[in-house]
Amino acid sequence: MADVAARAGVSRALVSIVFRNQPGASEETRERVLRVADEIGYRPDSAARLLARGRSRTLGVLFTVHQAFHTNLIEGIYPEAEHLGYEVLLSGATRDRSEEKAVEALLSHRCEALILLGSFAEPALLEAVGRRTVAVSVSRRVPRAHVDFVHSAEGKGVRQAMDHLVELGHRRITHIDGGRGPGSAERRRAYRAAMRRHGLEAEARVVPGDHTEESGIETGRLLLAERDRGRPLPTAVLAGNDRSAMGLLMTLIRAGVQVPRDLSVVGYDDSHLSHLMPVGLTTVRQDARLMAEHAVRFAVERLEKPELEPREAVLEPKLVVRESSGPVPAAEA
């Protein structure tokens, strides 16, 4: 600002008045100051101004780098945050960068609130984060933690998928577990409950896994190896999420298994990658934009009213039927 003032031939205080768009400068002076600022490439530091008032108006977002659904959520977070007058700062967790480190980075940059996308953190860490700052957990629910929660009705989504498969005549339906992934326990329980409800408990099988393509690939290899030893393939697989379903699909297709003629596959999330597979993926859609909007609003509302009790938004999932699911093979009907 001192450089602008010297070049424009005015005081630094007058430059400050112009940049804050306050009265006290003539229109000619205002135009000259703004022209000089543009010539030397000066831009007011809005972040510094906010920090001087004790505010950053920045929401920190923790996400996992390889989770495609987190990209969908982030696309919804930006417009809602901007609409409410907040900036967004991202911090990614990777195999070599823990969630705890990603959270500390956001706090060190003075983010006023945190939005945690699909956190794998221990409940104690989520509770600690919620005690330190305003926090919203998306897709991961931890009872009694001092954070707000936004997630889909996992059980309802799984029931829709399972009813769809049973209506197509499937009985030997296998589930690829999501391990410690967000929503995995609920999806696993809902799968077992659906098998019992349809009288298929004896056919229930949960294959250990996680929310990665590698999990689907390993499950595909396992099922193919069992087939070679005489155990028939299941007629359908409900994967823990879309990434796992994609790994399974690619492994089966490369081995010559016809999807869905020989085996149906269903995912969970409806991430943008589900549209890009050689066989369109039947999956349970979580409304990423609506989840993002709820998360941002929860964070901003709690910043304005810190006394609010923790809240929870449970959103409706919807089964999206594409080409990866079809009638049970004729030999099984």
Side-chain angles (χ1 to χ4, degrees):
M1 289 175 66
D3 293 339
V4 173
R7 188 159 176 173
V10 298
S11 68
R12 188 181 184 282
L14 196 56
V15 172
S16 177
I17 287 172
V18 170
F19 285 153
R20 286 183 284 119
N21 200 28
Q22 293 185 338
S26 68
E27 190 60 34
E28 179 185 355
T29 299
R30 188 177 301 276
E31 290 179 1
R32 184 166 74 253
V33 168
L34 293 176
R35 184 176 66 252
V36 168
D38 187 57
E39 288 172 355
I40 69 174
Y42 174 80
R43 293 291 181 274
D45 190 340
S46 57
R49 290 207 307 269
L50 286 167
L51 287 173
R53 300 178 205 158
R55 294 292 304 274
S56 71
R57 293 192 75 85
T58 300
L59 304 178
V61 178
L62 164 73
F63 70 105
T64 301
V65 171
H66 297 294
Q67 286 292 356
F69 187 63
H70 290 186
T71 303
N72 298 24
L73 290 167
I74 291 167
E75 286 179 346
I77 287 172
Y78 272 110
E80 186 65 16
E82 290 171 2
H83 172 70
L84 296 176
Y86 282 77
E87 295 292 334
V88 174
L89 184 64
L90 304 179
S91 186
T94 69
R95 289 185 178 90
D96 300 317
R97 188 174 193 251
S98 68
E99 288 189 12
E100 191 168 7
K101 188 171 184 179
V103 164
E104 290 300 327
L106 293 171
L107 294 175
S108 71
H109 283 83
R110 300 187 184 229
C111 293
E112 291 191 72
L114 302 185
I115 297 175
L116 313 173
L117 304 185
S119 173
F120 285 81
E122 294 296 328
L125 176 58
L126 282 182
E127 170 67 12
V129 170
R131 295 293 177 184
R132 290 176 66 186
T133 188
V134 171
V136 182
S137 176
V138 179
S139 296
R140 169 86 183 282
R141 183 179 182 276
V142 177
R144 295 180 295 280
H146 194 73
V147 301
D148 292 322
F149 300 106
V150 179
H151 60 95
S152 71
E154 309 282 355
K156 186 173 289 188
V158 169
R159 284 196 298 274
Q160 292 177 20
M162 293 296 289
D163 289 349
H164 167 67
L165 292 172
V166 172
E167 286 169 6
L168 290 171
H170 295 279
R171 295 180 56 83
R172 287 189 287 106
I173 306 169
T174 294
H175 176 53
I176 306 177
D177 189 30
R180 295 177 56 248
S184 296
E186 292 85 353
R187 295 173 197 178
R188 181 170 58 250
R189 284 194 295 267
Y191 160 78
R192 292 190 182 280
M195 292 295 278
R196 286 194 300 271
R197 180 164 53 88
H198 288 291
L200 303 176
E201 189 171 9
E203 304 286 356
R205 184 184 184 189
V206 176
V207 178
D210 55 38
H211 284 173
T212 64
E213 291 85 358
E214 289 80 3
S215 175
I217 292 169
E218 288 302 315
T219 299
R221 290 172 177 167
L222 171 67
L223 296 178
L224 291 169
E226 290 177 346
R227 182 194 62 177
D228 294 341
R229 294 195 298 269
R231 180 174 182 172
L233 290 172
T235 64
V237 175
L238 172 65
N241 73 342
D242 286 353
R243 290 180 64 193
S244 178
M246 291 172 194
L248 174 67
L249 267 175
M250 295 308 298
T251 303
L252 295 175
I253 291 172
R254 287 170 181 163
V257 176
Q258 297 289 313
V259 177
R261 190 192 71 182
D262 301 329
L263 187 152
S264 290
V265 178
V266 178
Y268 202 109
D269 282 342
D270 195 32
S271 62
H272 63 275
L273 293 179
S274 64
H275 308 268
L276 305 179
M277 297 297 294
V279 178
L281 181 64
T282 294
T283 184
V284 178
R285 174 180 293 161
Q286 301 190 84
D287 192 329
R289 182 166 293 276
L290 194 56
M291 293 173 80
E293 289 173 358
H294 272 80
V296 171
R297 289 173 190 166
F298 273 4
V300 171
E301 288 168 6
R302 187 172 293 282
L303 285 171
E304 295 172 355
K305 297 180 179 179
E307 70 279 4
L308 286 172
E309 289 297 314
R311 296 157 297 168
E312 182 174 1
V314 184
L315 307 183
E316 290 291 312
K318 181 181 179 181
L319 180 69
V320 180
V321 179
R322 298 193 181 95
E323 295 80 27
S324 70
S325 62
V328 67
E332 302 282 344

